[in-house]
Every structure is written in structure tokens, then in C-alpha cells.
Amino acid sequence: NNGIGMASVGRNVMILPVRVLGKCVGYDSDIQAGMQWAAGISVPGVPDNPTPAKVINLSLGGGTGCTTAYQTIVNQVIARNVTIVASAGNEGLAVAAPAGCTGVIAVAGVRHAGTKVGYSSLGPEVALSAPAGNCVNTTGACLNPLLTTTNTGATTPGASTYSDSFDASLGTSFSSPLVAGTAALMLSVNPSLTPAQIKS
């Protein structure tokens, strides 16, 4: 509403950023603890979250399917009436974990024309798809990037900026928050919706 930059899906929705990965590496245990904390579940050694999330976006994943550890955490979070949205993956293979877990809204990616983009993982776990961007050209500016906010910092925060055709943002990691933002808007209208109702 400030007349500059861009408008996205989650109009007037509060954001609770939770960092679970480093620049190049991360552990499932950290992701799982972050999911618990975001949902208001106590995590040993960390103060409780005073403002639990209603929707958790997971623009991350690895492997395929769902491990017992992930499913246990997903069940705990959903029991708190928190909706989980996760990217399907960018390997063009089976759906990555945690998107492959039961109860998670797994999001695949579509290209500008509305069909599945080649790199998007796909499987029966996928609930729906959202724009993921695609560069059909192999050289020069990306023809169909997503416009998104970004930061120039490599090890510490830098200048806030936008991605564009020369610094493209692509992948199901960008599809997933479009769906998570929509889920948040649904809850803004009807706070009594359950994760299963939102997914349906």
C-alpha cells in the first residue's frame, strides 16, 4: 500500500520469519524444530514463541517422500490447527520431503503458459501448482522470471532489491509462498478453517 515496489498475495498478513538453514547447509532436525517453534510448540533451549503462526511456508526440501521424523512433526503442527505449505522440489522427480508428508499442502510449479514447468517435481502428494518461473532460453536475459524481493548481502544483510530477468528467481520455493499467502488470506476471512479444509 505504499505505491512503490510490488504487491503480493498476503495483503495485510503478518510475517514471522524463522531461519532454519545456513547459506549452504542445514539439518532436518533444525527444520523440524523451526516448524515446532513457529506453531507454538515448546523447543528445548529456546524461549516459547509468543505469536504462533497459523500458516507455515517451507520453501525447502530434499530426498523424496516423508520420513517418520518429519511426519511426527507435521502431525504435531497440524494438531495445533496450523496449515503447512511446502515446495514440491526442483529435481523433476518425486516430491521432496517435507512436502511429501501427509497433511502438507505440496505445491508444484507451473510455467508462464500454465503447464508444469520441466524442473518441477511431481507426484500424487501435490495438492496444487503455482507460478514458478522459467527461462526457456539458455543465454541472455531470462524470458519468464518471477518478480520477487531479494537482498544483495552474501554473509550479512545488504541492500533490499528485486529479482529481474538478469538475476532471476525460479523454482517451487517461489510457488509455495504464493499458496501460503493465499491460505493466510483465507484464514483472515474465516479463522475457523482447519488445515484440511484449506487444502481441500
Side-chain angles (χ1 to χ4, degrees):
N1 284 344
N2 62 1
I4 60 173
M6 69 181 76
S8 190
V9 174
R11 180 180 173 90
N12 296 330
V13 169
M14 300 289 290
I15 303 291
L16 174 71
V18 180
R19 184 172 180 171
V20 296
L21 301 174
K23 182 175 170 143
C24 299
V25 70
Y27 298 97
D28 287 339
S29 57
D30 291 332
I31 296 167
Q32 293 158 8
M35 292 169 65
Q36 289 175 307
W37 186 86
I41 300 168
S42 293
V43 175
V46 182
D48 286 347
N49 178 2
T51 55
K54 297 294 181 187
V55 179
I56 295 175
N57 177 69
L58 297 166
S59 288
L60 50 79
T64 57
C66 182
T67 65
T68 301
Y70 264 120
Q71 191 63 62
T72 298
I73 301 302
V74 165
N75 293 346
Q76 291 175 4
V77 169
I78 290 175
R80 292 283 182 118
N81 209 32
V82 177
T83 300
I84 304 171
V85 183
S87 53
N90 302 321
E91 291 74 39
L93 301 171
V95 174
C101 296
T102 301
V104 173
I105 299 174
V107 184
V110 292
R111 58 174 50 93
H112 65 288
T115 54
K116 185 185 93 67
V117 67
Y119 59 76
S120 176
S121 295
L122 188 64
E125 303 86 355
V126 170
L128 70 161
S129 300
N134 67 309
C135 300
V136 294
N137 50 312
T138 56
T139 61
C142 178
L143 293 181
N144 301 294
L146 292 176
L147 178 64
T148 187
T149 55
T150 186
N151 190 280
T152 61
T155 57
T156 59
S160 294
T161 185
Y162 303 97
S163 62
D164 58 24
S165 294
F166 298 96
D167 180 21
S169 294
L170 305 166
T172 60
S173 287
F174 297 95
S175 308
S176 183
L178 293 173
V179 174
T182 303
L185 288 180
M186 293 169 68
L187 287 166
S188 296
V189 173
N190 184 355
S192 67
L193 288 172
T194 66
Q197 288 172 326
I198 289 173
K199 183 174 183 178
S200 176

